[in-house]
Amino acid sequence: MKPETSDYWSRLVRSFTILLLTCDIYNFNGVVEGVNPEVEQHLEMGKKLLAAGQLADALSHYHAAVDGDPDNYLTYFRRATVYLALGKSRSALPDLDKVVKLKPDFTAARMQRGNVLLKQGKLDEALLDFNEVISREPNNEEAIGKANKIAPLKENVDLAKQYLEYQDYQSVILALEEPIELCPWDTGLREMRADAFEAIGELFKAISDIRPTAKLIPDNQKAYLRMALLHYRMGEEEDSLNQIRECLKLDPDHKQCHNHYKVVKKLAKQLKDAQDLKMQGQYDECLSKAKNIIKTDPDAPQFVVRAKSYLCHCHSKLSNVDESLKFCSEVIQMEPQNIDAMMDKAEAHIANEDYEAAIQELQAAQEIDENSRRVKELLQKAQKLEKQSKKRDYYKILGVKRNARKKEILKAYRKLAVKWHPDKHEDGPEKEKAQKMFIDLAAAKEVLTDPEKRERFDSGEDPLDPEDQQGGHGHPFFHQGFNPFGGGGGFSFKFNFN
């Protein structure tokens, strides 16, 4: 049962309310009789507010009742019960001590104090209370059961300490399971198990153990700092920032918290900016921001790998093949199942016209996630491009890169068209070669200067290849009404360079 859960507290409030109502029914030998009317009114209001779940308001009335009748053990007991319902066990104990002092034979108070001490992990003190109850009520099953649990709990705690000393962290975790369940308010046990979880890399579980200690110990700056650092190690910058802010709320001048706050705040902004630039397609700016992330903390692997993921992706989008392959490989080495990096690496291979390597990378990604539509589509594209590469490559014909702009394509076409113009070559094999080259140049220009056709070609389909067209036949572009030689015989070569 975890004390930090809402179910736990609601059950606790209900049990305490029933206990108080029981107290009123039996009236504990009429101790309430003779109380002045004002105190009695506060007690009645406190009981009603407690039953309604208005704990803070109930507490204020019990404060007034205690002040009005400081020698009435039952008013202290009621206030202690409300403190417990509010999760303030430290405040409840002095009231329970007062009750036992005023009425030593009040076993309900001793049992309640024993339960609080047990939850706090004060096992020897709890045992004294349980034994005292048993001495007065030999058949009290709850007291007997709790008393019998003390020795095994102490043994488990001692074993956990020994295991921790020998760095047997799994055994530490196992030994502390029952003690933490029965002593949920013992911050030392939770911190010990958090140490073990952290040592084996279970950082999330370590945080789960530290979180309650931030509430159980007042002004627990140490807990907030530790949670912030653990979230940071997990690459969770926003959660780290939230926890370190809690530390600074308690102490704005806390040196460690302040230093960490500066770093994580800067890093969180850089990461957000890099993500925004990536999504907006501002790849050059994205590269700059990613490099700054690494400079901010080169020793934080979770953030370094994210920065390199941005470098991998943005270099790939800019067709910076060597840089993209370098950073994508580094990301995959750090995170072998990073499908996004594998796809970016495949894109870089495609830009480098190494289709076989791209296919291998995508097949590996498909083994990790066989249902990924993105991987499947890119794999199909790479396979088409590989098949296409064995045919005509319009980029190679014009001698331009795959990311060449229209202006570069036209410039290359003009230069080569002049060189291979058939009218500049004598009849025979040389002229036949020039005619073929000229046709290929015209086809390349036709495809690469038309956005729709170029997109189809980049996807692995040749828009001028009859095999890629339904019902296509004849010359790759005669069927579309294009003839680079004009009409009639004699081949009069006239063409437009625009």
Side-chain angles (χ1 to χ4, degrees), residues 169-413:
Y169 301 115
Q170 292 288 1
S171 295
V172 173
I173 294 165
L174 187 62
L176 289 177
E177 185 175 338
E178 187 172 12
I180 288 177
E181 182 179 354
L182 296 177
C183 312
W185 300 341
D186 187 333
T187 58
L189 297 182
R190 288 187 175 276
E191 288 172 349
M192 192 191 313
R193 190 168 70 174
D195 291 340
F197 277 132
E198 184 175 356
I200 63 173
E202 294 277 4
L203 304 187
F204 180 79
K205 291 181 179 179
I207 291 172
S208 295
D209 266 338
I210 297 166
R211 185 174 290 112
T213 70
K215 304 298 182 184
L216 291 168
I217 300 176
D219 298 334
N220 195 347
Q221 300 153 28
K222 178 183 174 183
Y224 287 116
L225 174 61
R226 188 173 180 186
M227 285 191 288
L229 294 174
L230 287 171
H231 278 299
Y232 190 81
R233 284 178 58 187
M234 293 169 68
E236 298 172 346
E237 68 278 4
E238 291 299 332
D239 289 324
S240 180
L241 198 55
N242 290 337
Q243 296 300 333
I244 211 64
R245 281 172 175 153
E246 292 298 322
C247 176
L248 292 173
K249 285 180 185 178
L250 298 174
D251 181 6
D253 298 323
H254 193 291
K255 185 175 180 180
Q256 286 178 283
C257 289
H258 184 67
N259 290 341
H260 181 69
Y261 174 74
K262 289 193 298 184
V263 173
V264 73
K265 182 182 179 183
K266 179 179 180 181
L267 199 59
K269 186 177 186 309
Q270 290 174 330
L271 287 161
K272 183 180 183 305
D273 290 345
Q275 177 66 16
D276 290 344
L277 291 167
K278 169 187 170 182
M279 298 305 295
Q280 294 164 9
Q282 300 181 44
Y283 301 120
D284 285 318
E285 293 85 348
C286 172
L287 293 175
S288 176
K289 193 64 66 175
K291 292 173 184 176
N292 288 336
I293 293 171
I294 297 175
K295 290 179 183 177
T296 297
D297 191 351
D299 299 320
Q302 294 297 332
F303 296 115
V304 168
V305 73
R306 283 169 63 184
K308 289 186 175 181
S309 295
Y310 289 128
L311 293 171
C312 159
H313 178 80
C314 296
H315 274 305
S316 178
K317 290 299 182 182
L318 291 169
S319 296
N320 298 333
V321 174
D322 292 340
E323 292 87 349
S324 179
L325 292 176
K326 172 181 178 293
F327 288 112
C328 291
S329 297
E330 290 177 3
V331 172
I332 294 168
Q333 185 176 5
M334 297 174 76
E335 295 182 346
Q337 294 196 326
N338 190 320
I339 291 180
D340 288 333
M342 297 173 82
M343 291 185 65
D344 287 329
K345 187 176 180 182
E347 291 275 19
H349 281 310
I350 289 173
N352 200 35
E353 300 179 13
D354 189 349
Y355 307 118
E356 185 176 348
I359 291 170
Q360 290 177 355
E361 195 70 49
L362 292 166
Q363 286 174 337
Q366 203 167 47
E367 289 179 7
I368 297 170
D369 185 0
E370 60 182 14
N371 296 318
S372 173
R373 182 178 176 181
R374 292 167 56 231
V375 172
K376 182 179 179 180
E377 289 175 351
L378 188 57
L379 177 59
Q380 290 174 342
K381 174 182 175 180
Q383 290 169 335
K384 283 184 177 181
L385 288 169
E386 183 190 33
K387 180 181 178 182
Q388 183 187 85
S389 67
K390 298 172 183 177
K391 300 179 181 180
R392 291 191 305 178
D393 187 328
Y394 296 129
Y395 291 103
K396 286 184 178 179
I397 290 171
L398 292 179
V400 296
K401 295 182 179 180
R402 297 190 74 88
N403 63 344
R405 297 179 180 178
K406 183 176 180 179
K407 184 177 180 181
E408 298 174 65
I409 293 168
L410 289 172
K411 181 179 179 181
Y413 169 71

Side-chain angles (χ1 to χ4, degrees), residues 11 29 79 95 109 167 182 195 313 341 344 357 363 382 391 401 404 437 440 445 474 477 491:
R11 288 195 298 269
N29 300 321
R79 188 170 71 175
D95 277 357
Q167 300 181 358
L182 296 177
D195 291 340
H313 178 80
D344 287 329
Q363 286 174 337
K391 300 179 181 180
K401 295 182 179 180
M437 285 296 300
D440 287 343
K445 171 180 174 288
F477 39 157
F491 298 135

